[in-house]
């Protein structure tokens, strides 16, 4: 009996000790998320914090001086050149977004609903991704021999007698910038919309047609509302990419147009790092506000 009692007591102590080491489900969730938080904190939050700190520093042609000055922000926000550059960037963003949304939606719609075989869908989708196997710079520069004064478009139009002389605004203009950006970023709109359309239950279309809806009514009242999460994700991709693009604006406009990212690039080339950091913080705030507005309109959690 004494042995049994001792064993029972030891088992009781072991059980209490085991219960003491148990963690709550919320604590386990936090532990599981810790590696991701550390990675994001080191590669994302820490650089943003460093840029924010540098944006308050002083500088001259000789170097940087740690300080806490608001001069960089007052110079940035108080300059009409900055506001004009932001408006020009927002103009590019609005035009490119609208074009990529229309093109991306119809490409995704064709792949999702007009191609019956899954294998054919995947093949055509992979064909869309083939250009992305090369650099953005190469794909952007490839438009120069096409749109140039003696390029393919002008040469063909002149030979057909449509125009008497080359069209000057095809290259090194806002048109060229928008065309190159639409070419570069349309797939970022196609992919999320295509994934959303593939998840739509086809029986909804049959129910709408049985209720007397026409093809356009099915598109407007069934397809587009259900595709909004994919449109929102594609919009976030396109908006952030266009707002941060400087190489396309510089090359395709021939230096005749400007963007916020190009302005920051020029500041960094002049070693004006605190001013560029202040511009980066302002640009980040603008992009975050735009993303927040998109998330307020569309609940992308349905897609995730």
């Amino acid at each position: 009996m004494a042995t049994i009692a001792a064993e029972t007591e030891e088992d009781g102590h072991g059980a209490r000790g085991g219960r003491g080491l148990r963690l709550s489900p919320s604590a386990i969730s936090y532990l599981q998320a810790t590696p991701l938080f550390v990675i994001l904190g080191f590669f994302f939050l820490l650089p943003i914090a460093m840029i924010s700190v540098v944006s308050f520093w002083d500088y001259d042609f000789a170097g940087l001086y740690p300080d806490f000055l608001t001069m960089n922000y007052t110079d940035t926000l108080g300059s009409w050149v900055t506001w004009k550059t932001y408006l020009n960037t927002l103009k590019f963003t609005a035009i490119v977004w609208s074009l990529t949304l229309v093109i991306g939606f119809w490409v995704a719609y064709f792949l999702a609903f007009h191609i019956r075989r899954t294998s054919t869908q995947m093949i055509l989708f992979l064909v869309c991704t083939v250009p992305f196997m090369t650099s953005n710079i190469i794909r952007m520069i490839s438009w120069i021999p096409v749109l140039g004064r003696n390029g393919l478009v002008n040469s063909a139009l002149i030979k057909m007698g449509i125009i008497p002389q080359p069209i000057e605004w095809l290259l090194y203009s806002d048109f060229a910038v928008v065309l190159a950006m639409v070419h570069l970023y349309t797939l970022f709109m196609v992919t999320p919309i295509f994934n959303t359309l593939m998840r739509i239950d086809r029986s909804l279309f049959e129910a709408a047609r049985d209720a007397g809806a026409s093809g356009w009514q099915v598109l407007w009242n069934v397809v587009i509302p259900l595709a909004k999460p994919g449109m929102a994700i594609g919009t976030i991709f396109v908006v952030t990419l266009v707002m941060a693009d400087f190489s396309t604006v510089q090359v395709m406009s021939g230096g005749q147009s400007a963007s916020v990212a190009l302005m920051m690039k020029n500041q960094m080339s002049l070693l004006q790092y605190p001013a560029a950091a202040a511009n980066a913080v302002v640009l980040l705030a603008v992009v975050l506000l735009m993303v927040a507005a998109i998330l307020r309109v569309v609940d992308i959690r349905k897609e995730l």
Side-chain angles (χ1 to χ4, degrees):
M1 292 296 292
T3 304
I4 295 175
E7 291 178 354
T8 304
E9 185 177 356
E10 290 178 359
D11 293 341
H13 284 299
R16 286 194 294 271
R19 283 195 293 269
L21 295 175
R22 289 180 181 176
L23 298 175
S24 63
S26 60
I28 295 175
S29 301
Y30 281 116
L31 287 176
Q32 292 174 339
T34 298
L36 179 61
F37 179 78
V38 171
I39 294 174
L40 291 178
F42 184 78
F43 291 103
F44 181 70
L45 298 179
L46 182 60
I48 292 177
M50 294 175 63
I51 292 173
S52 301
V53 171
V54 173
S55 67
F56 292 101
W57 287 9
D58 193 7
Y59 68 96
D60 57 19
F61 68 93
L64 308 178
Y65 307 100
D67 205 337
F68 189 81
L69 303 174
T70 59
M71 174 187 64
N72 298 315
Y73 288 97
T74 55
D75 291 345
T76 297
L77 299 177
S79 173
W80 68 270
V81 176
T82 301
W83 289 102
K84 186 177 180 180
T85 304
Y86 268 92
L87 290 176
N88 196 53
T89 305
L90 291 174
K91 178 191 72 174
F92 285 140
T93 302
I95 296 174
V96 173
W97 167 75
S98 59
L99 292 175
T100 54
L101 179 62
V102 173
I103 298 172
F105 177 81
W106 287 113
V107 170
Y109 184 87
F110 175 79
L111 292 176
F113 299 133
H114 288 275
I115 305 299
R116 301 298 181 183
R117 297 177 58 183
T118 304
S119 59
T120 307
Q121 287 178 341
M122 293 300 102
I123 292 173
L124 292 177
F125 185 77
L126 290 176
V127 169
C128 293
T129 63
V130 167
F132 283 78
M133 297 180 182
T134 60
S135 169
N136 279 9
I137 303 296
I138 296 175
R139 287 185 289 129
M140 174 188 61
I141 294 177
S142 65
W143 282 104
I144 294 178
V146 176
L147 302 176
R149 180 179 177 84
N150 298 317
L152 297 177
V153 175
N154 277 320
S155 299
L157 293 177
I158 291 175
K159 287 182 179 179
M160 289 186 293
I162 299 176
I163 57 175
Q165 58 185 4
I167 301 175
E168 300 290 344
W169 52 263
L170 287 181
L171 186 61
Y172 302 136
S173 62
D174 289 351
F175 169 80
V177 173
V178 171
L179 179 63
M181 286 184 174
V182 171
H183 172 223
L184 293 175
Y185 303 137
T186 297
L187 187 64
F188 291 96
M189 190 70 76
V190 173
T191 302
I193 296 178
F194 175 73
N195 290 334
T196 304
L197 295 180
M198 290 298 293
R199 297 182 182 183
I200 298 177
D201 189 356
R202 301 304 191 267
S203 62
L204 296 175
F205 303 154
E206 299 177 2
R209 294 190 183 96
D210 292 341
S214 63
W216 285 104
Q217 288 175 329
V218 172
L219 175 66
W220 184 258
N221 297 308
V222 178
V223 177
I224 292 180
L226 294 177
K228 284 182 179 179
M231 292 180 184
I233 295 175
T235 298
I236 293 174
F237 287 154
V238 172
V239 166
T240 53
L241 289 170
V242 174
M243 292 289 288
D245 194 329
F246 68 89
S247 59
T248 306
V249 178
Q250 183 179 21
V251 174
M252 299 306 294
S253 71
Q256 301 179 44
S257 190
S259 68
V260 180
L262 181 58
M263 181 170 58
M264 288 189 293
K265 184 253 186 185
N266 293 334
Q267 288 174 331
M268 287 187 290
S269 64
L270 297 174
L271 303 182
Q272 299 175 355
Y273 294 110
N279 258 317
V281 172
V282 174
L283 178 62
L284 177 62
V286 172
V287 173
L288 289 178
L289 288 175
M290 297 174 68
V291 172
I294 296 170
L295 297 180
R296 291 279 294 179
V297 175
V298 181
D299 184 10
I300 66 172
R301 289 177 297 181
K302 297 178 181 179
E303 178 69 9
L304 301 176

